[in-house]
Amino acid sequence: MGAGDRGVTVTDLPGDRWLVSLVGDHDLSTAEGLRDSLWSIFRTGTTVVIDLTTTTFIDSSTLAVLIDADRYAHEHNCEQIGLVVAKDTPPERLFSLVGAHRIFATFATAEDAFAYFDSTAPSTDAGAAARRHERKQRIVKNEQAFRDYNNRKLQREPVAETDDSEPIQFVCECGDDDCDETLVITAADFTTAHSAPNLFVVKPGHVYPEVERVVSEHETFAVVEKQPAALSQAG
């Protein structure tokens, strides 16, 4: 692994399960990106395992993100969350130093974590399926409401829809009804981003892989495309 090899690898597993692997060094420079990646997963998954096996360094800012993530996950749609902290690794030494094992549900391997969660709360029952269906409906309806709000805002702006010079502040059209973040783009970019009814503009990282895919990414916003099945379920 080279010195520049670091990042967050997300694996979508069957049954609304997610494996999030932190690769390489993570410090203040990666904390915000890590937070955005984790938050978007928590909004869609019922079981999330964060694997620190390939993490070569974490500092207090990364630990703070993980602590906030554990709280956020339980307050939102993530029903189960665990961390993989292998022995004799930098994360394990930091966890031991600050007593972080008392905060998280920790496991030696990702396989151990998923096996434990599968045994305590199977995700195949009718109740879990109903919760997943309801969650998808809520995500899409929230995004449509934000999209409608932005369309009304654009109509009130004193610029043409083709204007590519005047920046305009819009709300993020992600599916989180608690999201209060904004993005700044021109009317022309906004119009292009909404060229189809299943396209939405969101803050980078505010993506729900369960119901959408990223079409394009820009400095201040991303364009996501809703899956047809998700739109029909929300109708």
Side-chain angles (χ1 to χ4, degrees), residues 71-138:
R71 173 188 54 78
Y72 183 95
H74 290 299
E75 292 176 353
H76 290 72
N77 291 317
C78 178
E79 297 174 359
Q80 301 177 108
I81 177 174
L83 271 66
V84 177
V85 184
K87 288 186 177 181
D88 299 322
T89 60
E92 195 272 339
R93 288 190 284 273
L94 177 61
F95 275 45
S96 297
L97 179 65
V98 301
H101 285 286
R102 297 192 298 268
I103 301 174
F104 306 103
T106 60
F107 303 86
T109 67
E111 291 75 13
D112 290 345
F114 284 119
Y116 174 78
F117 289 140
D118 288 346
S119 68
T120 56
S123 60
T124 57
D125 64 349
R131 288 193 298 273
R132 290 194 296 270
H133 177 75
E134 180 183 355
R135 181 167 57 251
K136 288 181 180 180
Q137 288 185 312
R138 183 170 63 252

Side-chain angles (χ1 to χ4, degrees), residues 3-21:
D5 294 336
R6 63 178 182 176
V8 179
T9 301
V10 178
T11 305
D12 183 2
L13 301 172
D16 280 354
R17 302 183 308 163
W18 296 85
L19 176 63
V20 182
S21 301

Side-chain angles (χ1 to χ4, degrees), residues 91-223:
E92 195 272 339
R93 288 190 284 273
L94 177 61
F95 275 45
S96 297
L97 179 65
V98 301
H101 285 286
R102 297 192 298 268
I103 301 174
F104 306 103
T106 60
F107 303 86
T109 67
E111 291 75 13
D112 290 345
F114 284 119
Y116 174 78
F117 289 140
D118 288 346
S119 68
T120 56
S123 60
T124 57
D125 64 349
R131 288 193 298 273
R132 290 194 296 270
H133 177 75
E134 180 183 355
R135 181 167 57 251
K136 288 181 180 180
Q137 288 185 312
R138 183 170 63 252
I139 291 170
V140 176
K141 287 182 178 179
N142 287 341
E143 291 178 327
Q144 187 61 55
F146 288 135
R147 190 182 196 271
D148 292 342
Y149 172 88
N150 281 339
N151 284 332
R152 292 193 297 270
K153 177 178 176 61
L154 179 61
Q155 293 173 6
R156 296 194 298 269
E157 292 292 327
V159 297
E161 292 184 356
T162 56
D163 182 87
D164 60 359
S165 59
E166 183 69 25
I168 302 174
Q169 189 175 73
F170 294 98
V171 299
C172 173
E173 296 174 359
C174 76
D176 184 1
D177 55 2
D178 292 326
C179 179
D180 58 0
E181 296 196 41
T182 59
L183 46 89
V184 178
I185 59 177
T186 65
D189 285 339
F190 180 86
T191 302
T192 300
H194 290 92
S195 59
N198 63 333
L199 296 178
F200 298 78
V201 290
V202 300
K203 291 281 288 186
H206 290 213
V207 181
Y208 288 79
E210 186 178 14
V211 298
E212 64 200 10
R213 69 179 184 89
V214 176
V215 176
S216 61
E217 291 187 272
H218 308 265
E219 183 177 355
T220 60
F221 69 98
V223 180

